[in-house]
Amino acid sequence: MQFLAGGTTLLDLMKLDVIRPAHLININALRHEFGAIEADADELRLGALVRMSAAADHPAIRRDYPVIADSLRQAASPQLRNMATLAGNVLQRTRCPYYRDTSWKACNRREPGSGCAARDGVNRRLAVLGTSEYCIAHYPGDFANALVALEAQVSILDARGAPYTMPLEDLHRLPGSSPHIETNLPDGHLITGFTVPAQPWTRRSLYLKIRDRASYDFALAAAAVALDLGPDRMVRTARIALGGVATRPWRSHEAEQALQGWVLDETAARRAAEAAFRDVSAQGQASFKPELGRRTLVRALLEAAALPVSGDEDATP
């Protein structure tokens, strides 16, 4: 069983014969219940069926959570952003060519136990963080990286209609020995929305995406950065997530800890980048990605530190 909203990923995979759901349930009639954007002094609430374009253009998001707006504006094309929903975007599947092309039989994500052709194949775009011997497929999205950096919660209804929440960081699974199980969302459970807490670092935030072309392309490396800075750019709090380089939306706690209490200059940014990519496993054509990822994070941190954010130095630590 699959839920259908925007269909911008699901229908593609059905046409490619990658997935064959026995039942499709169109949930667009739930937009009146799960299609709103609400923001107050405590948090931002995003309905699962909000279209990407609506969230990207929302004035409160652009002002108070710019990393979210950035991640959405840089994703896909205007036409797709007008159709795609926020929940569907978070749950999008990898762009690994061996997963999407059924003529390749060795794909543990599509056919458990069949092997991973990508390890010795065309893997330039694939993951260097969170991989396993069973799968090196990357997570291709942008929006979820921003949510992970801001410690968002995801709201869910179980199969009986009972609500519960979990940290978005816990939604996607590492591939391990079972890459075909991509999330901790059980069958029949429905994402209804996301909650992002308002914190001192959300305004000083951005999303930097490096790709082969500037229009409609997936990230080779990306960084979602949010900072709370004290006097002289001393880091009180840093929140960092990486995109394009990992098997799931990747919160880099190591990079955050490397910055804590330091003045954010290029030396500190480079130290954080080294910490973020300390445990990489680069396969073949993807050997350039760790260095690209480090440079992307350094640039994102320095650009975020330079943002003109009023009241940042007076924010509560």
Side-chain angles (χ1 to χ4, degrees):
M1 180 180 69
Q2 293 278 342
F3 296 114
L4 174 67
T8 54
T9 293
L10 176 60
L11 295 181
D12 277 350
L13 294 176
M14 290 175 63
K15 291 174 184 177
L16 293 170
D17 205 30
V18 173
I19 59 175
R20 310 171 188 89
H23 302 283
L24 282 179
I25 300 177
N26 189 326
I27 59 173
N28 281 291
L30 299 176
R31 285 188 69 184
H32 69 284
E33 189 173 356
F34 304 124
I37 300 173
E38 300 174 329
D40 56 32
D42 297 320
E43 61 188 18
L44 169 69
R45 295 175 295 280
L46 301 166
L49 296 180
V50 170
R51 271 23 184 188
M52 291 173 63
S53 56
D57 294 336
H58 194 278
I61 296 175
R62 294 178 63 139
R63 181 187 66 240
D64 298 331
Y65 304 87
V67 63
I68 293 178
D70 288 347
S71 70
L72 291 167
R73 284 198 301 269
Q74 295 178 59
S77 65
Q79 294 90 340
L80 287 173
R81 291 195 296 271
N82 284 336
M83 284 293 298
T85 64
L86 298 184
N89 183 264
V90 162
L91 294 175
Q92 67 182 286
R93 304 290 182 86
T94 182
R95 309 299 292 194
C96 174
Y98 299 99
Y99 171 74
R100 295 172 65 86
D101 185 347
T102 56
S103 67
W104 292 95
K105 302 306 179 185
C107 176
N108 288 320
R109 188 167 291 232
R110 181 165 31 82
E111 297 290 342
S114 62
C116 177
R119 292 183 61 84
D120 297 314
V122 178
N123 52 29
R124 176 176 178 268
R125 289 181 170 269
L126 301 186
V128 297
L129 290 169
T131 62
S132 75
E133 62 180 296
Y134 298 91
C135 186
I136 61 171
H138 66 309
Y139 177 78
D142 300 298
F143 172 57
N145 302 322
L147 293 182
V148 163
L150 298 185
E151 301 178 330
Q153 296 280 320
V154 55
S155 300
I156 303 167
L157 290 179
D158 69 17
R160 297 184 177 182
Y164 67 99
T165 63
M166 73 167 69
L168 189 93
E169 190 174 0
D170 295 340
L171 178 62
H172 296 84
R173 293 165 53 106
L174 291 172
S177 60
S178 54
H180 60 291
I181 307 174
E182 298 185 11
T183 72
N184 290 312
L185 190 68
D187 188 42
H189 290 217
L190 177 68
I191 292 177
T192 60
F194 309 92
T195 303
V196 184
Q199 297 287 355
W201 50 86
T202 59
R203 280 199 171 192
R204 186 181 291 277
S205 66
L206 59 78
Y207 190 75
L208 178 63
K209 181 176 181 178
I210 306 300
R211 45 194 167 172
D212 284 328
R213 58 185 183 184
S215 174
Y216 191 19
D217 203 358
F218 296 91
L220 293 172
V225 169
L227 300 171
D228 176 25
L229 301 182
D232 300 321
R233 304 214 307 191
M234 187 271 291
V235 179
R236 290 193 286 229
T237 306
R239 292 291 181 263
I240 296 169
L242 305 174
V245 295
T247 55
R248 67 177 186 180
W250 193 263
R251 173 88 177 271
S252 184
H253 296 275
E254 300 84 359
E256 295 170 0
Q257 292 166 6
L259 287 173
Q260 188 75 33
W262 291 85
V263 173
L264 183 45
D265 55 14
E266 187 164 348
T267 299
R270 290 187 181 280
R271 182 172 57 248
E274 289 296 330
F277 287 88
R278 187 168 294 138
D279 298 320
V280 297
S281 177
Q283 303 284 330
Q285 298 165 356
S287 59
F288 74 99
K289 293 190 83 170
E291 180 59 22
L292 179 64
R294 285 189 283 265
R295 295 187 184 198
T296 301
L297 180 53
V298 168
R299 178 179 157 190
L301 287 168
L302 296 177
E303 289 185 5
L307 289 173
V309 179
S310 61
D312 185 79
E313 294 188 354
D314 298 324
T316 301

